[in-house]
Amino acid sequence: MYPMICVAICFASCQKNSSEINPTTKTGSTGNTGTTSTTGTTGNTGTTGTTGATGTSGGTGTTVATGLDNAAMLQMVNNIRSTGCTCGTTVMPPVAPLSWNDVLAAAALDHSTDMNATGDFAHNSSDGTSFSDRITADGYTNWRAIGENIAYGYPTEQSVFNGWLQSEGHCKNMMSASFKEMGAAKVGTYWTQDFGAK
């Protein structure tokens, strides 16, 4: 099976309802504002990270076991944000760096755990909860904007980052000036990267 990726984005004006952009199968589908790829990218070069690494967000004092190297993932995203890039056909200028947020990491971990347990590959949780409701329920409240990238089948932080970078919608999530914070997690080979701004 090839690696797969999927993207979702929601601003407060979307009424925190993202059901229209959540694909429901691993076969590859296109939502109204998200895209899915069944070919993925396996670019296995670069840092492999440390499975089971943990990290903390600024000032929270909490720790989330994300299953990935938080610092490496955040650095890859912030490196591309600092230089700008082209997402598909859209030139994205440099933007401010993101900070790590453990609440978003916990939401990402919950979703990767759910996808790994059920075999589902979608932004909706297996109980039907939308990604925006899940992130809010996990404690990221009063947000102005949230977004999510998911992936399946990638072995390393570098390979999943490369896959997201080569997909226009995922790349735009990573490059969006609307987002100020990020959290991510991996369970098995299910990856979730959540973005937010308050």
Side-chain angles (χ1 to χ4, degrees), residues 8-81:
I9 188 168
C10 188
F11 295 95
S13 62
C14 75
Q15 304 301 314
K16 299 184 181 181
N17 179 357
S18 60
S19 61
E20 73 278 3
I21 58 174
N22 290 306
T24 57
T25 67
K26 288 184 183 177
T27 58
S29 60
T30 302
N32 293 342
T33 60
T35 58
T36 314
S37 168
T38 56
T39 57
T41 303
T42 58
N44 295 346
T45 59
T47 306
T48 59
T50 304
T51 302
T54 61
T56 61
S57 62
T60 67
T62 60
T63 302
V64 177
T66 61
L68 56 84
D69 184 333
N70 302 347
M73 179 66 75
L74 184 62
Q75 182 177 6
M76 285 184 274
V77 172
N78 282 336
N79 285 348
I80 200 69
R81 286 173 70 90

Side-chain angles (χ1 to χ4, degrees), residues 14 25 30 39 43 47 50 69 71 79 86 103 106 110 124 141 145 147 149 159 168 176 180 197:
C14 75
T25 67
T30 302
T39 57
T47 306
T50 304
D69 184 333
N79 285 348
T86 300
V103 176
D110 286 350
N124 280 353
T141 58
N149 291 341
S159 65
E168 186 168 3
S176 176
K180 308 301 179 197

Side-chain angles (χ1 to χ4, degrees), residues 109-176:
L109 179 62
D110 286 350
H111 194 51
S112 289
T113 300
D114 183 54
M115 289 190 295
N116 187 61
T118 63
D120 291 339
F121 180 71
H123 290 283
N124 280 353
S125 299
S126 61
D127 67 1
T129 303
S130 69
F131 85 99
S132 57
D133 288 343
R134 172 176 31 84
I135 290 171
T136 300
D138 278 331
Y140 197 77
T141 58
N142 301 316
W143 48 264
R144 288 184 292 116
I146 55 171
E148 181 170 85
N149 291 341
I150 60 173
Y152 169 79
Y154 291 87
T156 66
E157 288 86 349
Q158 186 69 57
S159 65
V160 75
F161 172 79
N162 290 344
W164 285 328
L165 190 61
Q166 293 176 13
S167 166
E168 186 168 3
H170 301 87
C171 179
K172 285 181 175 180
N173 262 356
M174 291 191 296
M175 288 299 298
S176 176

